Amino acid sequence: MEVIVVKNYQELSEKAFEMLKALIIEKPDATIGFATGSTPVGLYQLMVKDHLINQTSYQKMTAFNLDEYIGLPQNHPESYYTFMRTNLFNTLDVNFDQVYIPAGDARDIVAEGQAYEVLLDKYPIDFQILGIGTNAHIGFNEPNTPLDSLTGVVDLTEDTIKANARFFENDPSQVPTQAISMGIASILKAKKIVLLASGASKAEAIYNTIHGPVTAEVPSSALQNHPNVTLIIDEAAASKL
Ligand code: PGA
């Protein structure tokens, strides 16, 4: 596991952008796995700015997202579909036929998960961007998710519901309690994984990711089993290392 410690959030976003841009220049038809949450927003802003200034093209890219809430319609302001459109895809020149986000409002959610996994095998992810929860979740794979899990329905923990209530008028009762998420094994199929973490609230999860035992109690510890993982973390997230 490569660990890059940067000074602050701005430098984290710049480092991640540098790596992603190098890939898309070298391999315009790369498959990129995107994440939601606050952490990758700085990276997405740099991608948008660069696209507008330098016309870096994403037309040939295939894109996947890690997860989606169950129970929100696609056009809900807090769906991850809306998040990705607003923060990134609507401004880039993406081909929307090659953009995959699990449908949280699918009638048969189990079949949706299975179909997503088939797509992931068809277009293997070259570069997976990951955030991490304070409880070390990756995607929406909460502690004690089996490490061999594939895309499917997951229950959100109370910690995660509380953390995400900030997007739902600070009202935890509005936060969906389930999601459809790429599993831990699905994430580990990516050729390269780049995990971003900023702030002291992530310091313990980062310590356990790197130094803890590989255990389902710490979903991110599964990354120790992957040959090509880079952590880009700021000094606060690195403070317990
Ligand atoms: P955050 O979320 O980037 O908003 O901290 C990360 C996550 O929960 O995976």
Side-chain angles (χ1 to χ4, degrees):
M1 212 181 268
E2 180 191 23
V3 182
I4 301 176
V5 181
V6 294
K7 220 173 186 46
N8 53 34
Y9 180 67
Q10 179 63 24
E11 282 187 18
L12 173 154
S13 304
E14 283 165 8
K15 184 72 204 161
F17 171 66
E18 189 186 301
M19 290 171 75
L20 186 72
K21 181 163 172 176
L23 173 67
I24 212 77
I25 295 289
E26 185 194 319
K27 187 179 180 191
D29 62 346
T31 300
I32 312 283
F34 289 98
T36 50
S38 310
T39 310
V41 169
L43 160 65
Y44 298 163
Q45 286 170 349
L46 291 173
M47 289 171 71
V48 163
K49 190 170 156 200
D50 168 72
H51 171 70
L52 295 175
I53 295 173
N54 300 314
Q55 285 83 48
T56 304
S57 179
Y58 295 87
Q59 225 169 359
K60 294 186 178 159
M61 168 184 78
T62 297
F64 282 93
N65 258 78
L66 284 166
D67 47 19
E68 178 60 283
Y69 288 117
I70 289 179
L72 298 187
Q74 237 177 17
N75 63 359
H76 187 282
E78 296 307 334
S79 75
Y80 287 163
Y81 176 92
T82 301
F83 177 99
M84 290 309 300
R85 293 240 168 188
T86 311
N87 286 288
L88 191 65
F89 295 148
N90 280 352
T91 320
L92 304 182
D93 58 343
V94 299
N95 176 354
F96 280 104
D97 291 342
Q98 291 164 206
V99 172
Y100 300 104
I101 300 180
D105 56 357
R107 219 177 313 148
D108 184 344
I109 203 81
V110 172
E112 173 69 12
Q114 288 165 346
Y116 205 72
E117 200 65 40
V118 170
L119 286 167
L120 284 166
D121 288 334
K122 189 167 171 194
Y123 306 107
I125 292 179
D126 292 296
F127 189 107
Q128 175 67 55
I129 301 158
L130 282 186
I132 184 169
T134 52
N135 65 3
H137 72 204
I138 49 175
F140 262 136
N141 297 291
E142 303 284 25
N144 300 314
T145 303
L147 299 183
D148 61 356
S149 64
L150 296 174
T151 307
V153 177
V154 293
D155 293 321
L156 274 51
T157 59
E158 243 172 78
D159 282 353
T160 298
I161 290 171
K162 267 194 226 150
N164 290 7
R166 68 191 195 275
F167 302 113
F168 293 84
E169 300 169 338
N170 284 322
D171 177 2
S173 74
Q174 290 188 38
V175 183
T177 56
Q178 287 189 313
I180 176 166
S181 179
M182 279 168 60
I184 294 172
S186 327
I187 292 170
L188 292 189
K189 287 180 187 173
K191 292 178 198 157
K192 177 168 188 64
I193 298 174
V194 177
L195 183 144
L196 311 176
S198 170
S201 68
K202 304 288 173 71
E204 190 178 343
I206 289 298
Y207 177 88
N208 289 330
T209 303
I210 299 171
H211 296 299
V214 176
T215 163
E217 285 167 43
V218 180
S220 58
S221 67
L223 298 174
Q224 291 179 28
N225 292 336
H226 191 283
N228 192 352
V229 175
T230 300
L231 269 54
I232 308 177
I233 57 179
D234 65 13
E235 285 176 357
S239 59
K240 292 206 166 145
L241 295 180

